[in-house]
Every structure is written in C-alpha cells, then in structure tokens.
Amino acid sequence: MIENSIIPDAARAGATNSDDVAPIFARDFGDFTWGAATSAYQIEGAHNADGKVDSIWDTFVRRRGKIKSRESGAVACDHYRRFDSDVALMRDLSLQAYRFSIAWTRIFNAPRTRANDKGIDYYQRLIDALLEAGIEPFVTLYHWDLPQYLENTGGWTNRDTISYFCDYATECARRFGDRVRNFIVFNEPMIFLSLGYLLGIHAPGRRGFKNFFAASHNVLLAQAEAAREMRRHLPNAQIGTTISATAAYAASASTRDTAATTRFDTLYNTFYLEPVIGRGYPTQNFPVLKKIEKYIQPGDMEKIKFDFDFWGLNTYTRKIVRYSRYLPYTHWRELKNAPNTRATALNWEIYPEAIYDLLKKYSAYPEIKKIYITENGAAFHDELVAGRVADHNRIDYLKSHLREIARARNEGAKVAGYFVWSLLDNFEWAEGYHARFGLVHNNFLTQARRIKDSGYWYRDFIRGKTHC
Ligand code: IFM
C-alpha cells in the first residue's frame, strides 16, 4: 500500500490539475525517453501468415462468450502488413522510442524446431525501419501470447515451458540483439496470471489456485533464466521486465482496512517483484499466498533472482480498498468510483497522483536501478468527426500524469522514460475494440489511420513546443 495515504484527494500537497500551475516542458525531465507502446496480438493481425501458428489468444477468442461482440485480433490493425506506414506515423509523432512485442508463434511454430525465417525477417524489417526513422526499439518478449502447442502440454503450469521460453529468448537475442539495445522479458505477470490462470477471463481461460500458483512460480523462474541467457549473449544490452502497478489506498484508517489494503498491495504490486530482487515471496501478511510454497523446489529462490537493468511499470488508475468479511481469501473489496470523480471509458478512475506515489514507492527499493513507465494512457469513446478526433479528455489525462511524473522525478524518483499506451487503437483483449486507447485513431473496417488531437499534442510536447 502507499503509506500514509488514506483517500488523499484534494488535501494532497502538490496535487496538480489546477490551471495556475507552472508549465513543465519535456526538457524539464532532463535525459528522458518519450515513446508509445503496443503488443503483437493487439495490433499485428495476420494471425496465420508466413508460418505463424496459433497462440492461446488465437484459440481463446474462438470460445463463445469470452470476448465482447465476439471480436478477435485475427486482423486487428493489420500492422503486420502496414508497419512501414505505421513507422512513418511514429516519425510524424516525433517518437523517440517504440515499445512492441514479438509474437513467439511467429518465431517458433512447433516445439524444438528451427526458427521460422519469415517471422524473424518480419521483425528484422520492423526494427530496421524504426532505426532508420531514428526510433529506439524497446522489445517485449512476452505480451501474453503463449504458443497453443505449449498450452497443450500444460502451458505455464508445466515447468518444461521454462526451457522453451529460454530457447525463444536466446533466439531473439541472437537474431535481434545486434540492433536492439532494450529488451523487456515479460509484460505484467500479475495480470495475465490472475486473469488467465485464476479467474479464467483471459487466455488460456484456466481457473483455480493450483493453476495460478504453479504458473506464477514458473513464469518468474522463466523470467530470470531467460534474462540470464540474454545477458550472456548480449552483455551490453539493457535487460528489463515490466510489471503492472495499481496504487492502493485504504478506505479508512481502521486496522482492518489498512491490513486489507496491504494485502491488495502485496498481490497487485510486490508479489512479482520481491522474489526477483532477492526478498522472497511476500507472503507474511497474506496467508493464501503461502500456497505458492508447494511449487518451490530446492534452489529455486536463487534461480528466480535477476538483477534487471530497469523495471517497467504499467499503471492507469488507483483503487480504494475496504475490508470485507464476505470475500474469501482476500477479505477485501474495491470501492466503486465516487460519483464526483472522473473516469475513462473502462470506468477506471482518473487519479494522476497514483503515478507519483508508485514512482516514489518503487524508487525506494535500492535493488531497482531505473524505471520506465512502459504503459500509461486512457480509453475513451473517441469519435472521428470531419476528419478529426478532438480527444481533449486524453490530453488532460496525459498532462496530469506527466506533471506527477515530473514531481516524482524532481524528488529523486528513478524514472527515465514514458510510453503512452497506446500508439494505435487496438484489440483490448476481452473488451474487444470498443475501448480506444490510441494516439492514432484506427478505422477497423478500412484500416485508415488518423492522428488524434492527443497525438498532435504529444508530438508538440516531445518537440518542446508545448507543456504539461
Ligand atoms: O491493453 C492492455 C495491455 O495489453 C496491457 N496493459 C494494459 C493495457 C490496457 O488495458
């Protein structure tokens, strides 16, 4: 939990949002990287092109009732075929960096086989186009799209998947490491493991503690083993990994509410961090998490550690947490957004101070050397009217969050860059296409792209012509 922060709201010193605050320009952030992010399944489409096989998301979207409006990422933004013009858009936006993920199923289309040259070639061309445009690639190895052939043998619940992941990471290091300096091993373990292995609402649709804890432990082992392989092959690369983070505030100062908030914070914010930095699983105050111990083999807690060059944080909103005697295991409930608070199209409360609190929280870990905000942004019901998307709500969101990042950085937070989620409107998993996060609007029927007002604002901000 964020210490001493009980529903802080307007009382918080330094809270921004008023009009009479001093302007902050990109240059005020000093040496900082400005980018945007996407992931393979959410934008590439071309789901069976050039030797690509099914991932768990290709199969999951075919299951009735799993995705709103029965949509899928089979075509998505067709970025696989349009990456050249999308890189031109990134250049128009003056992006300095672009975070994207590699689809494992384009690289290896069967277990223990030769890598698929066409898949490799696609990413090499994308990377070359980025470098040519002066845009630094930040490459995520795993953004949730496990090969279905591995799911068929147990997926992340099977320890054998660790060595398959290491082979894949090694291949990426060998084939892309000559031109990529920044790698991110996993995207948001907490999210894909809880939604995909505990609650069954994301791929692969499994449920229950057994799946969740076995998969969680194996993912963290795979993360460290793969990172070690990559560092061995690429001693000069920056190897990082990305976690999701949600600032949690207690609904009251009562002991029960603060203890519930600590449990929430443990699961959401530290469970997938602390073992990696050598502190072990933080199970002390949250008994159900001890179930993971059943999956720990001798030597694992050494193997699970890795000294990452940077940590990516993805963060969007906050939660206010209250104790609940009725909810088993966690004994908390998240309060609904208060009526007077602003929220996005996914009803995520807009609370910029959360990013400040999180940056302070993670910067306090001596083991964390550097942080990138690898995702932050907002979904709104954007409309293209007479060729323009006037998404001023998104501009406000970005400005208010950037101001909080500047505040944290001025106070010593180790943050070195910011990536808007997302470059393009894209496939928002179980939500389908209705949640538009892009700086660039996409017409999913024609694939016509249009830079939104927020994209122009971000471009001008990066160029130093406007401020937040
Ligand atoms: O779209 C997702 C992304 O894939 C992972 N982080 C959160 C985003 C918005 O929900």
Side-chain angles (χ1 to χ4, degrees):
M1 75 186 278
I2 307 293
E3 276 173 42
N4 304 323
S5 301
I6 298 160
I7 318 187
D9 282 334
R12 296 287 296 280
T16 54
N17 272 346
S18 97
D19 284 340
D20 56 0
V21 289
I24 302 173
F25 288 86
R27 63 174 172 272
D28 297 321
F29 287 74
D31 184 13
F32 209 75
T33 300
W34 299 102
T38 62
S39 85
Y41 188 71
Q42 293 178 275
I43 65 162
E44 283 179 358
H47 69 109
N48 56 5
D50 296 335
K52 178 185 173 298
V53 292
D54 279 351
S55 78
I56 53 175
W57 271 95
D58 290 297
T59 52
F60 188 70
V61 295
R62 294 182 199 131
R63 287 166 63 177
R64 192 174 279 278
K66 293 293 182 190
I67 312 293
K68 274 195 185 149
S69 315
R70 303 204 65 190
E71 291 164 331
S72 86
V75 177
C77 306
D78 196 28
H79 174 78
Y80 185 78
R81 300 195 172 88
R82 294 166 195 263
F83 74 86
D84 265 327
S85 49
D86 286 338
V87 172
L89 274 172
M90 294 179 218
R91 189 174 12 203
D92 292 347
L93 291 173
S94 291
L95 297 188
Q96 298 167 348
Y98 173 53
R99 172 180 176 234
F100 65 94
S101 75
I102 293 179
W104 185 348
T105 49
R106 293 195 195 282
I107 308 299
F108 285 111
N109 48 24
R112 307 263 187 254
T113 185
R114 258 195 92 240
N116 172 22
D117 287 337
K118 288 187 174 165
I120 304 266
D121 179 59
Y122 162 66
Y123 290 109
Q124 285 181 337
R125 284 182 291 126
L126 170 61
I127 292 164
D128 288 345
L130 289 167
L131 295 176
E132 179 117 330
I135 299 168
E136 186 78 45
F138 276 62
V139 174
T140 307
L141 296 186
Y142 186 86
H143 199 121
W144 307 358
D145 43 358
L146 183 77
Q148 181 62 42
Y149 58 80
L150 291 180
E151 175 61 18
N152 295 345
T153 54
W156 285 117
T157 64
N158 182 347
R159 266 179 97 104
D160 293 346
T161 300
I162 298 170
S163 73
Y164 290 106
F165 186 67
C166 285
D167 291 349
Y168 161 62
T170 305
E171 191 68 17
C172 290
R174 284 197 326 107
R175 308 297 283 263
F176 310 123
D178 57 339
R179 42 203 122 169
V180 173
R181 279 189 300 193
N182 296 280
F183 287 95
I184 293 170
V185 180
F186 273 105
N187 183 66
E188 298 182 358
M190 157 62 193
I191 302 296
F192 76 80
L193 291 161
S194 62
L195 300 184
Y197 291 82
L198 181 65
L199 303 173
I201 56 183
H202 272 193
R206 296 191 191 212
R207 290 171 206 268
F209 285 136
K210 210 169 143 208
N211 287 318
F212 174 66
F213 287 116
S216 291
H217 188 60
N218 292 338
V219 161
L220 289 186
L221 285 171
Q223 174 174 269
E225 299 279 17
R228 266 187 290 279
E229 279 303 308
M230 297 197 77
R231 186 163 283 163
R232 202 162 62 77
H233 283 85
L234 306 171
N236 298 322
Q238 294 283 297
I239 314 283
T241 200
T242 279
I243 52 174
S244 54
T246 302
Y249 305 94
S252 80
S254 76
T255 315
R256 288 198 308 196
D257 284 349
T258 49
T261 310
T262 303
R263 290 194 297 279
F264 180 102
D265 179 63
T266 301
L267 181 59
Y268 275 78
N269 298 325
T270 60
F271 194 62
Y272 297 92
L273 161 72
E274 295 203 345
V276 184
I277 59 178
R279 296 180 177 223
Y281 284 111
T283 57
Q284 317 74 278
N285 302 314
F286 201 166
V288 72
L289 297 183
K290 289 196 194 301
K291 286 181 187 290
I292 202 157
E293 287 164 10
K294 190 170 155 201
Y295 304 95
I296 303 176
Q297 295 184 7
D300 279 2
M301 295 317 287
E302 253 327 289
K303 288 189 202 145
I304 219 164
K305 291 195 244 169
F306 187 76
D307 185 20
F308 281 106
D309 297 305
F310 66 89
W311 283 80
L313 288 188
N314 294 354
T315 186
Y316 292 86
T317 185
R318 70 150 170 187
K319 291 291 175 199
I320 298 174
V321 179
R322 192 183 280 297
Y323 169 79
S324 165
R325 61 193 290 214
Y326 302 108
L327 291 165
Y329 305 110
T330 59
H331 295 292
W332 76 59
R333 71 187 170 86
E334 298 163 20
L335 296 196
K336 291 206 173 98
N337 297 347
N340 57 347
T341 52
R342 290 175 304 140
T344 69
L346 292 173
N347 199 29
W348 296 357
E349 187 193 336
I350 300 174
Y351 189 75
E353 291 88 340
I355 208 165
Y356 167 90
D357 287 332
L358 289 168
L359 283 170
K360 299 287 283 199
K361 172 190 174 75
Y362 288 105
S363 295
Y365 282 97
E367 302 90 340
I368 293 185
K369 299 173 190 156
K370 182 155 74 166
I371 297 170
Y372 289 100
I373 299 294
T374 39
E375 287 182 24
N376 177 243
F380 291 111
H381 298 297
D382 300 320
E383 283 181 24
L384 181 65
V385 179
R388 177 173 172 203
V389 180
D391 57 338
H392 293 173
N393 38 14
R394 183 172 289 103
I395 297 174
D396 286 349
Y397 181 99
L398 296 177
K399 279 181 167 178
S400 58
H401 283 75
L402 291 176
R403 293 189 67 83
E404 291 297 326
I405 294 169
R407 184 158 73 98
R409 187 165 156 93
N410 282 340
E411 293 172 19
K414 302 168 191 165
V415 56
Y418 179 81
F419 292 77
V420 176
W421 184 269
S422 177
L423 173 71
L424 291 168
D425 291 340
N426 59 48
F427 178 70
E428 177 56 21
W429 310 111
E431 295 291 329
Y433 288 99
H434 80 101
R436 292 180 176 270
F437 275 94
L439 294 170
V440 177
H441 183 273
N442 192 42
N443 178 326
F444 291 99
L445 297 175
T446 63
Q447 299 295 350
R449 319 279 208 243
R450 182 74 64 156
I451 298 178
K452 300 178 191 176
D453 283 6
S454 60
Y456 289 119
W457 178 84
Y458 193 47
R459 175 197 68 184
D460 290 347
F461 177 76
I462 295 170
R463 289 182 182 172
K465 292 189 178 150
T466 191
H467 54 82
C468 62

